[in-house]
Amino acid sequence: MATRALITGITGQDGSYLAELLLDKGYEVFGLVRRSSSENFERIAHIQDRLTLLSGDLMDEVSLINVLRDSRPREIYNLAAQSFVQTSWSQPVLTSETTALGVTRMLDAIRIVDPEVRFYQASSSEMFGRVRAIPQSEATEFYPRSPYGVAKVYGHWITVNYRESYNLHASSGILFNHESPRRGLEFVTRKVTHGVARIKMGLDTEIRLGNLDAQRDWGFAGDYVKAMWSMLQRDEPDDFVIATGETHSVRELCEVAFAAAGLKWDDHVTIDPAFLRPAEVDLLVGDPSKAHETLGWKCDVDFYGLIEMMVASDLAALRG
């Protein structure tokens, strides 16, 4: 009988790549989806006939208990969240309800229905915020700088707490920024690559951005979901930093993206104070050595390959 997995956030970037990976490994894959008029199934349209989608919500623990009883998964990947940092400033309570308390509701549903389930929590490099050490490892102190980062710290520690209190197989992946052609347009990488494609096609003349000096550790989402799966195959649950170990600025992102389309970035980028955050995270760069050694994980796509892949995809979509 095929191993069963439940993915929350299956319609998102990571959920779609993880669903593909698990299907390729012969899993029976269930996805948790909210009943909402605006749900977007675009990222999973090509595999939707191979998935079982179940209605439920991280805001409603009873719905989660019912979904677990209906699907009886061996593995649960909790990728659902209000995941956009900028939105967390205007919707801090909603962010807390889904990104923090949603984790508790899912862990509690596991405790009630089947404590043998293996659980993956999507933690975030935004938990490090105003960084206490460079690079950041599993031992680095958290200092979140946004309501999203604060909510992710809660989600992370409640996962540790349930692991230690109820002996659950619950692991967290502290993922640094990971991107792809499926990234939402509100994220800076995709905003840039999509903007470059539109400028190249003569549809726009500029991209408006905030802090060009912000530095991030950017990897490919398709590589990062492999680490999630690896964590749940281990006998012992644990927490892992998943990152490239390299950092690049938003300015460098612009240089690479525009060059991929044969353009000069400084002809088209405008600084707009509206895109500056109330509290900025300056330098995120992860130390993935534990994941390398313990999981045997590494990333196959580097920063330059990632940005060029995204620009090519956005150009193809516009031409198509």
Side-chain angles (χ1 to χ4, degrees), residues 61-113:
E61 187 172 333
V62 173
S63 76
L64 301 180
I65 290 170
N66 289 332
V67 163
L68 293 197
R69 285 179 175 153
D70 290 344
S71 59
R72 288 290 173 180
R74 180 177 178 271
E75 298 171 5
I76 295 176
Y77 297 86
N78 184 40
L79 311 184
Q82 188 300 99
S83 62
F84 188 42
V85 175
Q86 198 72 35
T87 301
S88 78
W89 295 104
S90 56
Q91 299 183 7
V93 176
L94 175 74
T95 300
S96 304
E97 281 286 352
T98 53
T99 309
L101 292 178
V103 187
T104 315
R105 295 186 191 103
M106 181 59 88
L107 286 164
D108 218 41
I110 291 169
R111 180 181 67 81
I112 291 165
V113 177

Side-chain angles (χ1 to χ4, degrees), residues 46-309:
H46 62 296
I47 51 171
Q48 199 168 335
D49 59 343
R50 300 168 63 197
L51 306 170
T52 304
L53 300 181
L54 301 171
S55 179
D57 198 316
L58 289 178
M59 309 276 252
D60 182 353
E61 187 172 333
V62 173
S63 76
L64 301 180
I65 290 170
N66 289 332
V67 163
L68 293 197
R69 285 179 175 153
D70 290 344
S71 59
R72 288 290 173 180
R74 180 177 178 271
E75 298 171 5
I76 295 176
Y77 297 86
N78 184 40
L79 311 184
Q82 188 300 99
S83 62
F84 188 42
V85 175
Q86 198 72 35
T87 301
S88 78
W89 295 104
S90 56
Q91 299 183 7
V93 176
L94 175 74
T95 300
S96 304
E97 281 286 352
T98 53
T99 309
L101 292 178
V103 187
T104 315
R105 295 186 191 103
M106 181 59 88
L107 286 164
D108 218 41
I110 291 169
R111 180 181 67 81
I112 291 165
V113 177
D114 183 3
E116 296 301 306
V117 165
R118 296 189 170 197
F119 176 78
Y120 170 82
Q121 167 59 13
S123 288
S124 166
S125 59
E126 289 286 332
M127 301 190 305
F128 294 119
R130 181 185 280 175
V131 300
R132 309 279 91 186
I134 297 171
Q136 294 91 50
S137 73
E138 295 80 7
T140 305
E141 184 187 343
F142 299 137
Y143 194 138
R145 295 274 278 169
S146 66
Y148 170 76
V150 172
K152 278 292 185 185
V153 169
Y154 177 97
H156 181 84
W157 281 117
I158 201 69
T159 301
V160 173
N161 184 257
Y162 268 65
R163 175 168 79 212
E164 295 176 352
S165 302
Y166 301 111
N167 203 29
L168 297 187
H169 194 297
S171 296
S172 284
I174 305 172
L175 270 59
F176 280 66
N177 296 61
H178 47 290
E179 319 294 319
S180 75
R182 299 179 194 171
R183 193 54 142 155
L185 289 170
E186 68 271 28
F187 291 87
V188 69
T189 44
R190 184 75 199 292
K191 180 178 178 178
V192 169
T193 64
H194 185 253
V196 165
R198 287 184 62 83
I199 292 168
K200 181 69 174 178
M201 300 296 285
L203 301 170
D204 278 331
T205 57
E206 68 166 4
I207 303 175
R208 303 181 80 81
L209 297 171
N211 181 10
L212 297 187
D213 295 318
Q215 293 185 303
R216 293 291 182 273
D217 183 327
W218 279 300
F220 173 50
D223 287 338
Y224 284 38
V225 298
K226 295 174 188 170
M228 300 176 186
W229 177 80
S230 296
M231 286 177 217
L232 297 201
Q233 309 319 305
R234 300 181 71 246
D235 292 336
E236 294 298 321
D238 205 349
D239 306 321
F240 293 90
V241 163
I242 305 299
T244 69
E246 295 178 7
T247 188
H248 300 273
S249 66
V250 176
R251 183 177 281 102
E252 192 177 353
L253 161 67
C254 292
E255 288 169 5
V256 175
F258 277 95
L263 299 168
K264 279 202 162 82
W265 75 274
D266 40 7
D267 293 342
H268 303 283
V269 172
T270 305
I271 305 296
D272 185 340
F275 294 112
L276 297 172
R277 294 180 184 175
E280 183 55 83
V281 172
D282 301 312
L283 178 59
L284 288 175
V285 55
D287 173 5
S289 50
K290 180 178 170 182
H292 291 172
E293 292 156 17
T294 310
L295 301 177
W297 175 85
K298 62 174 180 29
C299 37
D300 297 320
V301 179
D302 69 5
F303 171 74
Y304 304 98
L306 169 67
I307 302 308
E308 287 160 8
M309 173 205 305

